[in-house]
């Protein structure tokens, strides 16, 4: 077929020089063939930087001895071939670049040195919201409102695409970044300057890992780190361990790829793969399409790995042909990968490399499932969903508990909607969204949803009108094959109209619920439910009025929408009763795997509104002091060429005392701005009405809003308080204040701050504002039991110290209340992962590890962060 993204323009034209390649495989060393394929790609992708890496013979020897050296903290300088961004993370990146140009000029340097060196593609997919649904013009109305709200941001991004070289903007309406990457942007193999080398990518979105399903090594990094990569700085990483994940067997007929990935997610969370690569192998891989593999690779952040890699095989090559890549280039891709020892035959066990550890999954054992109600790793098989939810109702407040009094479990609240009376209870579904890059990129589950909708409509089933239903595909390709296969009209009949091409409900852009529904939920203090085909369901993320949110396959999203409640046993209870009085069960309409066929075809989507944006041609950005979207950040104020001396943190107060699994959504929410929040008060003071607030994600170009939005999640659980609230105690006055207001008082008094946390601090999205925001609140260090990889890197990038308790220790075991004052001794001579002394004003002393994992990270810390380092480097 032809290129489905032809309207977006061709990728950067590769060199037409003599074709050749250089790789370790030519050394003829048999140890190379024992390396995991992901490690081979990691090395080959860096081959083009021969002066930095491969000429060091000791490094080559260390890598070839990977099975020994993986445990010895060998540092690898990795330069990805390209960078991808989305607009929520892309706007602050371009803001930083614009501010860095100003800073370099102030230091008498050449501001145009601040410019991307490698290709950088920014896909606008995070701005559109579900404001309109269940109407034929929903798509157009939502897109129009998207431009009305975000015109200033879009003009700024368009300025960036013209002011900076090697930066390409994919306009709104094209699709979700990761699906556009999979279907169009991914090269698989680069041909540049006369050399072949594997495609590799880092992105400012944690689900960049989706591209590993196509055999392109990639993962999410913080926006700060991505900016350094764009400026030519290699990523400093420790040679990772690689977990071999062996797949055997074939999935059962009723199982979807969503069920497989939720099963894998729970399994790998139990195994423990944070900071490691996962590489899939075994005969079961041949049972998975590229879309299935991409679904599994997509949720890599949810199980904590750095990358989840499927090496290129015959199925990958067929996918490239299927999605319109140039046939001559595909022949060269195959030839290069075979010659370089990177082409995989999953049915040939003699190709199986050495792994750090091997775990196994029999696909035959996977059952239909969901995950929730508050975390993606909390898998629940569908047959146990009703019982599990009812257990959660009464359980203690936590990941699997809402602490509802037993006599309130069957509370009912009646309300009127469109002149009809309805009833809500605990477990009532109020949002049902087919959304996100995880599932809408997969033809099998999307066509499965369409077939289920067809059978449901033909059986006489309907969805209650107050349930907010929506369909936001990953690209126009999805709409095309749903329309061409004849199932789209049935989805529309059930309320699943196409409302936009973007992330939408998955990132909290779910739009408002009907006011009578919100009033009923509030009146009854009900645990209302959102069901979505997304990848994250953290508290407060999807919608402030849905306390329970479940991840499910697109067919199950429709099934629960029809049922209207999560408290249903599909085996024993009907989905509904049709006009003839017949009970219709889920098994009556569920599509079998062999009914579902994938179709791809060309789409034509030209965004006229984007083309019409008029922007200045200046290389330095003219900041508008009246803007509430774009503001020059204070990060580089008073920056000098000389390095400041290292200082200990003395007598710091604890701003927040947090528990386990604090996500970046808790730290820096992306969704709606609550009307009683510090950010709302700021925007109101600038003359805006609540209707004009937009979302935190859309305001990431303005540090004044984002600092006020830090720790503003309404579901934040601070141990200093007895409730969920974005508040804390200001200890000098003993007042309970909003987090921003408390931090402002501390900073005005010149008092440093730290945060105490438990395990998996910073899990979830890669958002850099989860590090920038704390920095602006005056937080000098975080002391946690463990960190998610990207967030730790972001803290390093902002000069905030990631401290980690020694193994087996934590706040509870050390008897820390958070009411103490902390002094952290930073010696003049520091080394990676060194232990430092922490002294309390109570007289207690203990040690913690500074999680600067490499010498490069220490250099960033000495400079006050990675961007300060790059400015000094460019100015010098």
């Amino acid at each position: 077929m032809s290129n489905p993204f032809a309207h977006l323009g061709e990728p950067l034209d590769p060199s037409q020089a003599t074709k050749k390649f250089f790789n370790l495989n030519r050394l003829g060393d048999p140890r190379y063939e024992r390396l995991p394929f992901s490690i081979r790609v990691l090395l080959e992708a860096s081959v083009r930087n021969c002066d930095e890496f491969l000429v060091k013979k000791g490094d080559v020897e260390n890598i070839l001895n990977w099975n020994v050296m993986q445990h010895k903290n060998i540092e690898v300088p990795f330069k990805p071939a390209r960078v991808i961004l989305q607009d929520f993370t892309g706007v602050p990146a371009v803001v930083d670049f614009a501010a860095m140009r100003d800073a370099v000029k102030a230091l008498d340097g050449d501001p145009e040195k601040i410019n991307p060196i490698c290709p950088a593609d920014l896909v606008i997919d995070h701005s559109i919201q579900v404001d309109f649904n269940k109407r034929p013009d929903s798509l157009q109305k939502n897109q129009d409102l998207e431009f009305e709200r975000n015109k200033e941001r879009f003009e700024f991004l368009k300025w960036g695409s013209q002011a900076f070289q090697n930066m390409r903007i994919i306009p709104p309406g094209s699709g979700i970044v990761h699906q556009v990457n999979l279907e169009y942007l991914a090269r698989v193999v680069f041909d540049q300057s006369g050399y072949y080398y594997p495609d590799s990518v880092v992105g400012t979105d944690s689900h960049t890992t989706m591209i590993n399903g196509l055999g392109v090594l990639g993962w999410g990094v913080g926006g700060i780190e991505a900016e350094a990569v764009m400026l030519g700085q290699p990523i400093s990483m420790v040679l990772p361990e690689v977990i071999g994940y062996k797949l055997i067997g074939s999935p059962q007929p009723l199982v979807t790829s969503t069920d497989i990935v939720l099963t894998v997610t729970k399994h790998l969370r139990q195994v423990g793969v944070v900071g490691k690569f996962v590489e899939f192998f075994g005969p079961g891989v041949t049972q998975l399409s590229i879309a299935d593999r991409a679904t599994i690779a997509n949720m890599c952040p949810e199980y904590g790995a750095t990358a989840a890699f499927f090496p290129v095989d015959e199925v990958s090559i067929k996918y490239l042909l299927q999605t319109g890549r140039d046939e001559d280039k595909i022949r060269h891709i195959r030839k290069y990968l075979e010659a370089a020892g990177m082409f995989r035959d999953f049915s040939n066990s003699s190709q199986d490399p050495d792994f750090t550890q091997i775990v196994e999954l029999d696909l035959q054992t996977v059952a239909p499932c969901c995950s929730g109600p508050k975390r993606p790793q909390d898998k629940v098989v569908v047959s146990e969903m009703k019982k599990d939810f009812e257990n959660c109702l009464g359980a203690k407040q936590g990941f699997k508990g809402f602490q509802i009094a037993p006599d309130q479990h069957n509370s009912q609240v009646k309300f009127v909607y469109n002149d009809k009376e309805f009833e809500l209870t605990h477990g009532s579904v109020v949002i049902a969204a087919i959304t996100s890059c995880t599932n809408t990129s997969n033809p099998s589950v999307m066509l499965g949803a369409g077939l289920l909708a067809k059978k449901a409509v033909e059986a006489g089933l309907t969805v209650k009108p107050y349930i907010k239903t929506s369909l936001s595909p990953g690209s126009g390709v999805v709409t095309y094959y749903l329309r061409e296969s004849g199932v789209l009209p049935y989805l529309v009949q059930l309320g699943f109209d196409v409302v936009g091409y973007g992330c939408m409900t998955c990132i909290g852009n779910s739009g408002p619920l009907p006011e009578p529904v919100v009033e009923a939920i509030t009146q009854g203090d009900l645990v209302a439910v959102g069901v979505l085909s997304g990848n994250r369901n953290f508290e407060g993320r999807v919608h402030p009025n849905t306390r329970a949110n479940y991840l499910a396959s697109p067919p199950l999203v429709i099934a629960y929408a029809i049922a209207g409640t999560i408290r249903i046993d599909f085996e024993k209870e009907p989905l509904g009763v049709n006009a003839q009085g017949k009970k219709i069960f889920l098994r009556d309409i569920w599509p079998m795997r062999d009914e579902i066929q994938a179709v791809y075809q060309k789409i034509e989507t030209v965004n006229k509104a984007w083309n019409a944006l008029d922007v200045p041609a200046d290389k330095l950005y003219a900041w508008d002091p009246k803007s509430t979207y774009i503001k020059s950040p204070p990060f580089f104020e008073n920056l000098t060429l000389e390095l400041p001396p290292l200082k200990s943190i003395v007598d710091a107060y604890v701003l927040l005392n947090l528990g386990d699994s604090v996500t970046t959504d808790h730290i820096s929410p992306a969704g709606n701005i609550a009307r009683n929040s510090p950010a709302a008060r700021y925007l109101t003071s600038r003359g805006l009405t609540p209707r004009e607030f937009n979302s935190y994600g859309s305001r990431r170009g303005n540090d004044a809003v984002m600092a006020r939005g830090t720790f503003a999640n309404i579901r934040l659980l601070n141990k200093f308080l007895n409730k969920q609230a974005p508040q804390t105690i200001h200890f000098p006055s003993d007042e309970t204040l909003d987090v921003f207001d408390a931090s402002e008082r501390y900073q005005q008094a010149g008092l440093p701050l730290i945060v105490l946390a438990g395990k998996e601090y910073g899990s979830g999205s890669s958002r850099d504002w989860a590090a920038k925001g704390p920095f602006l609140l005056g937080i000098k260090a975080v002391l946690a039991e463990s960190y998610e990889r990207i967030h730790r890197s972001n803290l390093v990038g902002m000069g905030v110290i990631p401290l980690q308790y020694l193994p087996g220790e934590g706040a509870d075991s050390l008897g820390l209340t958070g009411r103490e004052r902390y002094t952290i001794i930073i010696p003049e001579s520091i080394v990676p992962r060194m232990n430092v002394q922490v002294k309390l004003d109570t007289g207690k002393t203990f040690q913690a590890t500074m999680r600067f994992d490499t010498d490069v990270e220490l250099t960033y810390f000495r400079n006050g962060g990675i961007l300060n380092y790059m400015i000094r480097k460019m100015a010098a």
Side-chain angles (χ1 to χ4, degrees), residues 132-135 138 432 457 462-464 467-471 488-499:
F132 298 91
N133 68 317
K134 294 186 179 179
R135 48 187 289 173
S138 294
V457 169
T462 59
V463 174
K464 292 180 176 65
I467 297 176
K468 187 159 193 179
T469 49
S470 60
L471 168 59
L488 190 57
Y490 299 99
L491 287 162
V492 170
Q493 275 188 259
L494 292 180
F496 290 90
D497 304 74
V498 174
V499 295

Side-chain angles (χ1 to χ4, degrees), residues 13-34:
D13 188 29
S15 167
Q16 295 303 307
T18 304
K19 307 297 186 279
K20 53 186 176 180
F21 63 89
F22 175 82
N23 60 76
L24 286 172
N25 195 36
R26 294 183 68 185
L27 300 175
D29 195 312
R31 289 175 295 177
Y32 181 85
E33 296 182 2
R34 306 311 307 159

Side-chain angles (χ1 to χ4, degrees), residues 62-286:
N62 285 338
I63 300 307
L64 291 174
N65 286 325
W66 169 84
N67 59 340
V68 175
M69 303 307 295
Q70 60 182 305
H71 303 290
K72 296 191 177 181
N73 293 330
I74 298 299
E75 191 173 339
V76 181
F78 170 54
K79 271 193 180 178
R82 57 192 177 92
V83 175
I84 60 168
L85 311 95
Q86 35 88 341
D87 53 301
F88 269 19
T89 52
V91 166
V94 179
V95 166
D96 286 346
F97 271 20
M100 288 170 77
R101 278 192 169 179
D102 291 344
V104 169
K105 184 180 180 184
L107 293 173
D108 297 324
D110 178 4
E112 291 196 39
K113 283 186 176 179
I114 300 295
N115 198 84
I117 292 172
C118 66
D121 296 306
L122 192 157
V123 180
I124 299 176
D125 65 357
H126 272 53
S127 298
I128 192 165
Q129 300 186 29
V130 191
D131 291 287
F132 298 91
N133 68 317
K134 294 186 179 179
R135 48 187 289 173
D137 59 350
S138 294
L139 174 61
Q140 190 59 51
K141 297 281 278 185
N142 287 327
Q143 288 181 337
D144 290 345
L145 195 50
E146 175 189 19
F147 260 84
E148 180 185 324
R149 284 185 178 129
N150 297 284
K151 184 171 183 286
E152 189 179 340
R153 296 172 64 243
F154 292 170
E155 285 175 340
F156 177 69
L157 287 176
K158 192 167 184 180
W159 167 82
S161 69
Q162 297 176 7
F164 298 103
Q165 298 171 13
N166 282 335
M167 180 174 286
R168 175 172 50 173
I169 307 292
I170 309 298
S174 301
I176 300 174
V177 57
H178 309 304
Q179 187 160 348
V180 175
N181 192 20
L182 190 72
E183 295 177 353
Y184 172 66
L185 296 174
R187 281 73 153 177
V188 182
V189 170
F190 264 85
D191 170 15
Q192 199 169 45
S193 302
Y195 288 90
Y196 285 120
Y197 55 91
D199 188 4
S200 58
V201 62
V202 292
T204 58
D205 188 285
S206 54
H207 293 107
T208 300
T209 54
M210 182 170 177
I211 201 62
N212 288 276
L214 186 58
V216 175
L217 187 65
W219 58 83
V221 296
I224 308 156
E225 193 169 17
E227 292 164 35
V229 171
M230 285 189 274
L231 294 174
Q233 185 73 5
I235 290 176
S236 174
M237 61 182 295
V238 174
L239 189 64
E241 298 180 24
V242 182
I243 307 300
Y245 200 94
K246 188 174 185 178
L247 297 176
I248 61 172
S250 300
Q252 297 181 49
L254 299 180
V255 164
T256 68
S257 59
T258 311
D259 303 320
I260 296 172
V261 72
L262 294 180
T263 301
V264 169
T265 298
K266 181 175 182 179
H267 186 195
L268 285 175
R269 268 290 171 191
Q270 293 169 337
V271 171
V273 292
V274 173
K276 303 174 184 178
F277 284 4
V278 174
E279 184 172 314
F280 292 86
F281 74 110
V285 178
T286 61

